[in-house]
Amino acid sequence: MTQITSDSGGLEFVAGGGLLSRRLLLKSTLVGTGAIAASLTAPTRAAAEADIPEWVTVSGERARGYGMPAESEAQIQRAIIEPWQDVAAAFSLSGTPHHRLRGTITPSGLHFEVHHGGRPDVDPARHRLMIHGLVDYPLKFDLNALERYPMVTATHFLECAGNSLFNAIMPEPMQAGCDMLHGLLSNSEWTGVPLSVLMDEAGVNPEGKWVVAVGSDGPALARSIPIEKIMEDGILALYQNGERIRPEQGYPMRLLLPGFEGNMNVKWLTSLWVTDAPAYTKHESGEYTEILADGSSVKFTFALGVKSFITHPSATMTMTGPGFYEISGLAWSGAGRVDRVEVSADGGQSWAEAALEGPVRSRALTRFRLPWRWDGSPLVLMSRATDETGAVQPARSEWKARYHPSNFLHYNAIQPWQITAEGAVQNVYI
């Protein structure tokens, strides 16, 4: 346990590099001492003396049917990620700009995308969902029929199994933002029909142990799912953040399997085929199989590991001078709730426990925060998450020792950010 020290202003330092006690977030000590205001530049403090702006002297715009972000925020968009430019253009990805967002809910228009065959233009009036195979009563639903069923709402993250792939495979750290490095991760409020309700109505036979989910996109992406997961918390999602699911997220319906790798949450869902064994489809036996250091493979590692990264500050940002800041980031686990997050400002020599922003939900993003006073010296910031099962986020060297150099799936290693004396924030390996 790091010993708590204090300065003449009564601030509690709990770890190296200027990390302060998370209790200060509750007591508003930083505001009470005037420490934050003292860190601001003179032009910032003088802003209150500015002239009356022109927009308060005229009438504003009329109401509109669908709200949009402010024009000045138009540059906040998903990053287009193209790690394999030699493949078909239909294989496309875009990453959520976490370093430009706060809170935990990802705006629907900034939710990450991964398309193996492009985004289909689905006619909702013609789309159907079939439940068939080892069932007593094969069923077929249109969208209107599904709207009559009882629905549930739950907040969960989705993460691509290949998220953070550049840190996993590149010998030197790529200098890019969170949207490129960790952007294949998003968190939404999902609403839809519990799959257990539909399966119970179909009557799954005792020998039905797996469900093969198939999408209606070009490659007909298909994944095998244990029936236990389908019945436990699987959802046929129809709504995202209160409105119909966007086309890039599977409109008019998608599979939602909380905590499981993104590829299994099949979009544009059209078929749930109950079987007695997994199908070993191309997308699960070829593209989403982890290769271990000895060359052997691990099949059916569905749940994502505990993980975190600091979003503020993070790579491509520039510090605005020494003084007080709030370190903030995201943590999550496919196994359940995040139990705690620790932050280090000295490259892992000492750690301080961050405050978790509630509610801390199972298999959902959790925002963590910690006050920090930067003295202008070079240092390395990093976070380390632990989930309710006791699993701890590993160091990069530990993760790399487990897997073959070619493997980039399920990368959940600690993310270090180096801050230079000039205030530049950079991606580093330690």
Side-chain angles (χ1 to χ4, degrees):
M1 181 70 177
T2 304
Q3 183 177 359
I4 295 177
T5 61
S6 62
D7 66 1
S8 58
L11 298 176
E12 297 175 316
F13 291 87
V14 293
L19 295 181
L20 296 164
S21 171
R22 57 182 176 153
R23 289 194 293 267
L24 299 181
L25 297 172
L26 302 176
K27 298 188 329 186
S28 300
T29 303
L30 295 180
V31 176
T33 60
I36 296 177
S39 301
L40 301 178
T41 62
T44 302
R45 294 198 303 270
E49 301 176 5
D51 293 335
I52 297 175
E54 66 277 7
W55 57 81
V56 301
T57 65
V58 296
S59 297
E61 299 292 334
R62 299 173 66 89
R64 54 188 174 186
Y66 195 89
M68 301 295 290
E71 292 183 8
S72 58
E73 303 297 320
Q75 77 280 8
I76 301 180
Q77 298 185 10
R78 292 175 288 211
I80 304 303
I81 304 172
E82 298 180 332
W84 300 285
Q85 297 185 24
D86 57 335
V87 301
F91 186 90
S92 55
L93 307 89
S94 68
T96 298
H98 293 290
H99 57 300
R100 307 299 298 273
L101 305 176
R102 294 281 189 168
T104 57
I105 296 296
T106 306
S108 297
L110 295 177
H111 193 289
F112 81 89
E113 302 170 87
V114 176
H115 306 314
H116 287 252
R119 181 183 65 249
D121 184 13
V122 177
D123 180 355
R126 296 169 57 195
H127 185 85
R128 299 292 184 270
L129 170 66
M130 297 180 294
I131 298 179
H132 57 116
L134 297 176
V135 297
D136 294 333
Y137 308 103
L139 303 173
K140 182 184 289 187
F141 302 93
D142 62 16
L143 198 58
N144 288 332
L146 290 168
E147 282 289 333
R148 301 175 65 175
Y149 280 78
M151 296 192 188
V152 294
T153 296
T155 299
H156 293 294
F157 76 84
L158 283 178
E159 183 183 18
C160 177
N163 191 29
S164 312
L165 67 96
F166 295 115
N167 276 0
I169 62 175
M170 294 188 68
E172 298 296 329
M174 185 173 77
Q175 297 309 316
C178 291
D179 48 359
M180 293 288 288
L181 296 176
H182 307 297
L184 302 184
L185 163 78
S186 301
N187 195 58
S188 293
E189 179 191 87
W190 305 96
T191 299
V193 182
L195 286 172
S196 59
V197 171
L198 302 179
M199 288 296 175
D200 284 343
E201 184 171 348
V204 176
N205 296 347
E207 61 268 32
K209 303 299 183 182
W210 291 78
V211 176
V212 181
V214 183
S216 61
D217 54 342
L221 188 145
R223 290 297 305 264
S224 302
I225 303 153
I227 189 68
E228 292 84 2
K229 180 64 174 178
I230 292 287
M231 301 300 287
E232 176 191 358
D233 58 3
I235 297 174
L236 178 65
L238 304 172
Y239 294 85
Q240 177 186 9
N241 296 333
E243 64 180 359
R244 286 286 189 185
I245 286 177
R246 300 278 177 103
E248 58 266 41
Q249 297 309 319
Y251 179 82
M253 62 189 71
R254 76 173 299 160
L255 189 61
L256 183 71
L257 302 170
F260 276 25
E261 61 186 22
N263 179 259
M264 299 184 70
N265 296 260
V266 176
K267 295 181 285 189
W268 313 292
L269 186 67
T270 191
S271 173
L272 293 172
W273 175 30
V274 181
T275 67
D276 60 357
Y280 294 100
T281 70
K282 166 183 176 289
H283 296 102
E284 60 197 16
S285 61
E287 297 179 21
Y288 287 85
T289 297
E290 298 167 70
I291 310 299
L292 298 178
D294 62 3
S296 63
S297 60
V298 181
K299 64 181 181 181
F300 301 140
T301 51
F302 300 137
L304 292 155
V306 62
K307 191 171 177 180
S308 71
F309 63 94
I310 294 170
T311 61
H312 299 80
S314 59
T316 71
M317 290 182 174
T318 302
M319 307 295 292
T320 55
F324 286 88
Y325 294 87
E326 180 183 81
I327 295 171
S328 179
L330 297 168
W332 66 100
S333 172
R337 290 177 174 83
V338 171
D339 182 65
R340 63 174 176 161
V341 178
E342 300 164 287
V343 173
S344 175
D346 52 17
Q349 297 181 55
S350 61
W351 296 86
E353 189 167 347
L356 303 183
E357 190 75 27
V360 178
R361 298 184 174 95
S362 178
R363 301 179 177 95
L365 295 189
T366 296
R367 174 70 60 177
F368 63 87
R369 303 184 295 136
L370 193 68
W372 171 48
R373 188 171 70 177
W374 181 46
D375 65 5
S377 302
L379 51 79
V380 174
L381 283 177
M382 49 206 288
S383 63
R384 179 176 65 190
T386 302
D387 68 21
E388 63 180 336
T389 71
V392 181
Q393 187 176 2
R396 184 176 187 271
S397 59
E398 180 184 349
W399 189 92
K400 292 289 287 184
R402 171 176 168 78
Y403 292 102
H404 189 272
S406 65
N407 183 68
F408 58 86
L409 299 171
H410 288 228
Y411 183 84
N412 68 323
I414 290 170
Q415 170 64 71
W417 302 125
Q418 176 176 272
I419 298 178
T420 68
E422 295 74 30
V425 188
Q426 302 170 341
N427 182 23
V428 294
Y429 299 155
I430 62 172

